Structure formats: C-alpha cells, structure tokens
Amino acid sequence: MDMNTAVTVAVAASVVGLLFALYQRSFVLSQDEGSERMKQIAAAIQRGAQAFLSREYRAVAVLVLIVAVALVVLSQVPGSGMSVLTAVAFVCGALASGLSGYIGMYIAVRANVRTAQAASQSLNMGLRVAFASGTVMSTMVVSLALLGISLLFILFVNQLGDAAQAASALAGFGFGGTSIAIFARVGGGIYTKAADVGADLVGKTEAGIPEDDPRNPATIADNVGDNVGDVAGMGSDLFESYASSIIAAISLATTAGIFVEDGSLVAAQIFPILVATAGLIISIIASFLVKTEEGADQERLLGSIRSGIYSASGMIAVVIIILGLSLPFGDKSIGVIIATLSGLVGGVLIGYFTEYFTADTYGPTKALSASAVGGAGIVVIRGLALGMMSTLAPVIIVVVVTLLATSQAGLYGVAVAAVGMLSTLGITLATDAYGPVADNAGGIAEMSDLPEEVRDRTDALDSLGNTTAATGKGFAIGSAAMTALALTAAFITALTAGGSSALGAAVNPAELLLNPQFVTGLFIGGLLPFVFSALTMVAVGDAAQQIVEEVRRQFREIKGIMEGEAEPDYERCVAISTDSAIRQMLLPGVIAVGVPVGMALLAVVGNGNVLGEFIAPISLVGVLLGSLVSAFMLAVMMANAGGAWDNAKKHIEAGNLGGKGSDAHKAAVVGDTVGDPFKDTSGPSLNILLKLLAIVSLVIAPLIGSAFPPM
C-alpha cells in the first residue's frame, strides 16, 4: 500500500467517524428533556458552560495568533531550518482541538437533562443516552485528529518533497492541539474545583444540606464545572496525545534510521495512520456493545463498559498483526507488531490498576473509607499513602512497555507503542466523557425532585461515571507519558539528524551521565511539575475561597433560601468561577511554553561563548526527561489519591460506616475536598505540561540544529 492509498483510507474513515458523531448527536437531541423545572436547570448549566468556554477561547485565540505569527517569523530567518507550513499545521491543530472540545461540551450539557429523563424509563435507557453523548466527543476527537494529520502530511510531502521535513512541519499540528489543551485543562480544572470545593465546604459541611441541593448558590457552577473540566478539558488533552503519538511515529520513521529501504520506510510512515484508522472504525462498532439491564449493580454496570473496551482492544490487536505482516517491513515486521501490542496491553493494564486503587469495590478504597472513623487527618494521611503506592503498577508497566518496544523496534517502537495504547481512544474517551453527563443527570434529578427510583438510577450511573472517570484519568496519564517519551525521542533524533553537533560529545552515554548541563537540566525538569502543580492548587484555593464567601453571603443576606422560598443567585457563582479560572490559567500555560523556548534560545545564543558552558541543547534534553519522570509519578499519585478520596466518601454515603451525616462522612468530605484539585486540576494538567514541553522542543528542533553545523 502506498502513501496516497493509506491517506485516502484514513480520510474515508474520518468522514465515517464524523457522520457517526452526527448520528449520535441526533439520537441524543431527539430524547425528551423532561419537565419545565428540568429544562430551566439544564438551561442554566448550558448558559454557564457557554459563557466560560467563550471567554476561554477568546483568551486562547490571542495567544494562538501570537504563536502562529512567531512561527512564521522564525521560518523566514535564513538558515533556521523551519518551514512556514509549521505555522499552518499549528493553526489547524488548534482549530481542530478547540472544535472537538466545543462540540463535546455542547452535546454534554444537553445530554445531562435527557439522561435524567431517560432514567425515568429504565437504567439501560439512561446509560444509552449518556454514553451516546460520550461517543460524540470521542469520535469527534479521533476523526478530526486523524483527518488533519492525514491531509496535512500528504500535502506537506508533496509541497516540500521530503518526508523528514514534512514530519517536522507536522509537529506544529500537535503543538496547536496542546496549546488549546493546556488552557482547557488548567482553566477548566480551576473552574470545576473552585465551584465544587466551595459548594461542598459551605453546603455540606456548614449548612448540612445534600449535594446538588437547589438551595446552594454554587450548585449550578459545580454542574457547569463538570463539563468544562472533564469534557472540554479531557477531550483537548487526549486529542493532543492521540495526534502527537502518530506524529512522533511518522517523525521517527523518517529520522531514526532503522528503515532505510524505500518500501519499509513508507510502511513505517503509514503504519501508525492505518492503526489509528482501524481503531476509529473498531471503536464505533464496539460502542454498540455498551448496554445493561434494569437493576444492574455496579459490577454489572462496569462490566458493560468493559465489554466495549476489551472487545475493541481484541479486535484492534488482530488488525495490528495483519497490518504488521502485510506491510513491507522486511525482517522488522514482528518487532513492530510486538512493540505496538505492548502499548495496547499496557494501556488496558494501566486502566485496570487505576480502577483497582480508586473503585470502592476493591480493598484500597474500602480501607480508606474505614479510616474515616479515625477522623479527617487519618483520611488525608491514608489517601496520600494510597496515591503514592498506586504509582508502582503504572511505572512498572511503562518501563516494561518501553524496554520491550525499544528492544523490538528501537525508538520507533516507543512511538508505535503509544499509538497502540491510544488506538481505541474512540471508545476509551467515550467512557470518560460519559461521567460528567451522568453526574449532571444526578444533580438535575436531585434539584427537580424526581421520584426516588429515578434518583437511584442516576446515582448508579453517577457512581459508574466516577469509576470510569478515574480510569480515564489513569489512561490519559499513562498515554501522556508514552507520547512524551516518543516526542522526546523524536526531538533527540531531530537534533542529531544530518550530523548536527547540537548534542556534541554528550551523546556518548558515559559522558552524558557526568555532563553538568544535562544533569542540571534534569533538576530543572523535575522541579517544573511541582511548581506547576503549586500554581494550579493555589488557583483552586483562591477561587474556592471566593465561592465560599459568596455562598455564605447569600445564605446570610437572601432571606428564605434555606426554607426554599427564595431563589439563590446562581449566576454570581458562575461568574466568580469563570473570572478566576480565566485569570489564573495564563501563568501555568506561559511557563509550559516559555521554558523550552527560553532554554533553546539561550543554547543557540550561547553556542561558542561562555554562556554555552551553562546552557546547551543537552540541557533541554535533561529538562524533558526530568519533567517526564517527575510529572508522570506526581500525576498518577494525585489523580488516584483524589479518585479514592471521592469514592471513599461515596462509599460512606451509600450507607456504610454510619452513612450520611456521620462523623466518618464528615471526615471523608474533608478528604474529598483535598482530593478534588488533585484529581481534576493539578494531576490531569501535568499530562499537558510534559507533552507541551516535548512538542514545543520538537517544533523548534530545526532551529536548534541549524545553529550547530556538523562537526
């Protein structure tokens, strides 16, 4: 199969995916919205989500424009090695990522009320509507990413006449996606947790009213936050992982030097595109397997989700084997197959172990729930310990996958392992995007005083959503680590391509270990995730404090709220969360982009003078590797600790250990409050940090390489 045929197949599959998303959208919107009260609540959530996303995208658009202009200017610098097509790819990636996030959130804030109403018919109908909305988001992400990469790559190859230069320019597409993701994740995470923490601290802890009680002024902001953080943010996050893994594989195919014959080189370039194409179609098919029966418990509900994911994984494994044997890889066929399958299996295992540490059906979270009897301090201590211990399995999995992939296919193996891990994203992301819809449905059912049996069903769907959301975060972190590793490998090979002396003698392993520029880069890279997390945690705390003060003010000044005789001012809390998130998302984003660019410029300026003794291209390699190791483990720890705290609280609310209102429940609420920014802001945002550092470095690699001619 030649490149034109592969691209044609990918484009056709992308169109099928977009049509499927349109079909699922029509199905969701055709469902009944329920009572007038339900429609009013849903409309308030829609207005809040639209207001936030509009503000966020306007702010991000300015930054995208600035970066695009900078890329154009750099491409015009004589000898820079950069192409103006990088700027074209950057804008396309930003638009595609932003569009997928916008559409995903648009349908999510309309599916929530329809899911609540569908749950009045049956549990299965509620699951179908919520999951269908998740497939809209997931299919849009995969289809737009695959469509953009396929069309741009063939266009760039024809325009530049060189696959290596085309792959370098294509990195701009991943950079564009990451630029949206960093602000969607950070901004959305700050918004959602500010509202959630503020609502819980005053509503549950001080006023003693239930979650999603309509008397709580922060309730609508909380429901809005679920969507802007875990739908728009997660979609942009995984859009970037998915796109960058394919781009890294294409780049390494052309620069790593393990494919030298024309046939095997083309095969290596189109293989990741074909795997992604097959994964898109298979995910669509597997989505129809997600269904349940009335009265299903959590284990059977979880089994319905697993049936879709595991079926998709099995089918794509067969396709990977067929593609590996069919394409002219020569003696490398088996190695490429093993490397890709190792990533696929690794992704499934990371999801399983994340579920083990966060679901209340397993020992770790049950033990965390039991510790609540000893008070809030014990809950916090045990939750932190659980999060730290939960890093063991994902790290071992990534280590094994990396060693296996590189032993079979070199650095290219790392990239196709990431492609394999993300090949079923079309259904994996759907199970995650489903969660906020089910959560919102439960809130709407509560605020609308729907019958007890309906709330029981929405509670079951919400509980399932908590588990799938935790699993999705673990998968996102694991795939981000593999993607960042692949991008770092692509960056290093790009620096050494053409005999560039950018890395100098430091490519010698013995000298590398003692190279002070590399070692100091490791320290800087290891530091960045902690600074980044501190900024996002403080942002959540500051914004939550404003929400707390506003909710207290309304309880104090608006007479009749607690009696249900007066309507709270929901819009004020929405506005506070929006303003805080937009204002405080900028600094973390600027740091993530500014560090690699700043270090690269210092390295170029310092070439041949005393500054070069302190900063060199090898310093940036150290930053990438240091941040990768540090961010990966810190993200897993925070995400799993937060998920476990959340489910421990819900385990008690289900009637265990004294149930709602007990001392154990109050202690668990404190743990959940600490865990909220862990799992929904700082932890997931680190995914973007480590990928953004790597993709920015890859984009500017030609500029660095051109400043260090062959020795």
Side-chain angles (χ1 to χ4, degrees):
M1 182 183 293
D2 61 17
M3 189 176 296
N4 287 326
T5 304
V7 168
T8 301
V9 171
V11 170
S14 300
V15 172
V16 170
L18 293 174
L19 291 175
F20 176 72
L22 181 62
Y23 166 77
Q24 292 290 74
R25 172 188 179 277
S26 299
F27 167 74
V28 171
L29 296 182
S30 67
Q31 303 303 307
D32 186 10
E33 295 181 75
S35 67
E36 197 60 37
R37 173 62 177 164
M38 293 169 67
K39 293 177 183 177
Q40 290 173 356
I41 296 169
I45 296 172
Q46 290 165 23
R47 287 194 302 271
Q50 180 64 45
F52 172 79
L53 211 58
S54 297
R55 290 268 314 269
E56 180 182 61
Y57 279 8
R58 284 199 300 270
V60 173
V62 175
L63 297 174
V64 167
L65 179 61
I66 292 172
V67 173
V69 171
L71 290 173
V72 171
V73 171
L74 286 175
S75 70
Q76 303 306 307
V77 175
S80 68
M82 295 184 65
S83 168
V84 70
L85 295 179
T86 302
V88 174
F90 171 79
V91 173
C92 290
L95 289 174
S97 178
L99 181 61
S100 60
Y102 179 86
I103 292 175
M105 199 192 68
Y106 174 90
I107 198 68
V109 296
R110 286 159 178 79
N112 49 19
V113 66
R114 291 168 169 85
T115 297
Q117 179 62 21
S120 65
Q121 302 177 40
S122 68
L123 181 63
N124 183 55
M125 196 61 194
L127 176 63
R128 280 188 61 198
V129 174
F131 190 75
S133 73
T135 62
V136 174
M137 163 64 120
S138 63
T139 311
M140 286 296 300
V141 165
V142 174
S143 299
L144 288 175
L146 182 59
L147 183 65
I149 290 171
S150 302
L151 290 178
L152 289 175
F153 184 55
I154 195 68
L155 175 65
F156 291 177
V157 169
N158 292 333
Q159 185 73 23
L160 298 172
D162 181 81
Q165 291 182 11
S168 177
L170 190 61
F173 187 82
F175 183 20
T178 317
S179 300
I180 298 297
I182 186 70
F183 295 109
R185 257 306 191 193
V186 174
I190 293 170
Y191 183 110
T192 182
K193 291 303 104 182
D196 193 1
V197 170
D200 282 355
L201 285 177
V202 183
K204 284 185 181 179
T205 307
E206 294 182 9
I209 58 179
E211 188 171 5
D212 296 317
D213 192 297
R215 292 172 293 178
N216 192 328
T219 296
I220 295 297
D222 185 10
N223 281 279
V224 171
D226 291 334
N227 296 285
V228 299
D230 284 343
V231 177
M234 174 64 85
S236 296
D237 180 354
L238 285 169
F239 175 96
E240 194 278 327
S241 288
Y242 184 80
S244 291
S245 67
I246 300 173
I247 292 168
I250 294 173
S251 178
L252 285 167
T254 60
T255 58
I258 63 171
F259 303 101
V260 293
E261 298 178 5
D262 289 344
S264 63
L265 181 57
V266 173
Q269 291 167 349
I270 66 175
F271 177 72
I273 294 176
L274 293 176
V275 170
T277 300
L280 170 56
I281 300 302
I282 286 171
S283 294
I284 291 173
I285 296 170
S287 68
F288 291 102
L289 300 176
V290 178
K291 54 187 175 181
T292 190
E293 57 191 27
E294 193 61 39
D297 58 16
Q298 279 301 300
E299 190 59 35
R300 281 189 289 174
L301 280 171
L302 195 55
S304 67
I305 297 292
R306 285 176 180 156
S307 66
I309 294 175
Y310 292 167
S311 297
S313 298
M315 286 187 280
I316 194 63
V318 173
V319 173
I320 288 170
I321 294 171
I322 293 173
L323 285 173
L325 295 175
S326 302
L327 294 173
F329 282 114
D331 60 356
K332 298 180 178 65
S333 291
I334 300 300
V336 171
I337 291 171
I338 292 174
T340 311
L341 290 178
S342 70
L344 175 65
V345 174
V348 173
L349 289 176
I350 288 174
Y352 169 77
F353 281 107
T354 302
E355 179 189 323
Y356 173 76
F357 276 100
T358 57
D360 66 354
T361 53
Y362 296 102
T365 299
K366 283 185 177 179
L368 182 61
S369 299
S371 72
V373 176
I378 305 298
V379 172
V380 172
I381 292 170
R382 288 293 297 265
L384 289 172
L386 181 152
M388 292 175 187
M389 186 60 69
S390 72
T391 62
L392 179 63
V395 169
I396 291 175
I397 291 167
V398 169
V399 167
V400 171
V401 170
T402 301
L403 292 174
L404 187 59
T406 51
S407 70
Q408 296 298 313
L411 294 177
Y412 179 77
V414 176
V416 292
V419 172
M421 187 176 287
L422 288 157
S423 59
T424 57
L425 185 63
I427 188 167
T428 306
L429 178 55
T431 63
D432 196 353
Y434 146 91
V437 175
D439 191 355
N440 270 203
I444 291 172
E446 177 78 26
M447 288 185 279
S448 303
D449 292 322
L450 294 184
E452 192 66 32
E453 64 175 8
V454 177
R455 279 185 272 183
D456 287 342
R457 290 169 185 158
T458 57
D459 285 348
L461 294 174
D462 183 18
S463 181
L464 174 64
N466 286 328
T467 301
T468 59
T471 304
K473 288 182 177 67
F475 176 81
I477 294 167
S479 62
M482 290 301 302
T483 300
L485 183 58
L487 290 169
T488 301
F491 170 64
I492 293 172
T493 52
L495 287 185
T496 56
S500 171
S501 60
L503 296 184
V507 292
N508 183 308
E511 295 185 18
L512 175 64
L513 293 175
L514 299 176
N515 187 298
Q517 297 157 326
F518 174 71
V519 173
T520 52
L522 285 175
F523 276 106
I524 294 171
L527 170 69
L528 281 177
F530 289 90
V531 173
F532 192 87
S533 297
L535 290 173
T536 53
M537 293 282 282
V538 168
V540 170
D542 289 346
Q545 180 63 34
Q546 294 180 55
I547 293 292
V548 166
E549 292 172 358
E550 175 61 22
V551 174
R552 286 173 176 166
R553 182 194 68 78
Q554 292 196 33
F555 280 159
R556 184 175 61 252
E557 297 180 5
I558 302 179
K559 305 302 181 184
I561 282 187
M562 295 305 293
E563 294 76 25
E565 298 172 356
E567 187 86 353
D569 185 359
Y570 300 119
E571 298 295 331
R572 178 60 186 153
C573 290
V574 170
I576 290 173
S577 292
T578 300
D579 292 341
S580 297
I582 298 299
R583 186 177 65 255
Q584 298 186 82
M585 74 179 185
L586 296 177
L587 181 57
V590 170
I591 289 175
V593 176
V595 167
V597 171
M599 293 196 71
L601 292 176
L602 288 173
V604 170
V605 172
N607 184 24
N609 58 54
V610 68
L611 181 59
E613 297 295 322
F614 299 94
I615 300 291
I618 196 68
S619 305
L620 184 50
V621 175
V623 169
L624 298 184
L625 294 176
S627 65
L628 172 58
V629 172
S630 176
F632 177 43
M633 286 186 277
L634 187 59
V636 170
M637 187 278 287
M638 289 197 290
N640 288 349
W645 273 317
D646 188 6
N647 283 329
K649 177 199 68 176
K650 285 183 167 55
H651 182 73
I652 295 174
E653 289 176 344
N656 302 293
L657 301 169
K660 290 183 179 180
S662 64
D663 289 340
H665 180 236
K666 292 176 181 177
V669 169
V670 173
D672 181 39
T673 302
V674 175
D676 273 336
F678 266 42
K679 69 182 175 66
D680 289 327
T681 307
S682 299
S685 295
L686 290 175
N687 301 350
I688 318 294
L689 173 67
L690 58 92
K691 289 182 294 184
L692 187 54
L693 292 170
I695 194 70
V696 170
S697 300
L698 181 58
V699 167
I700 60 178
L703 177 65
I704 301 173
S706 66
F708 294 83
M711 290 184 289

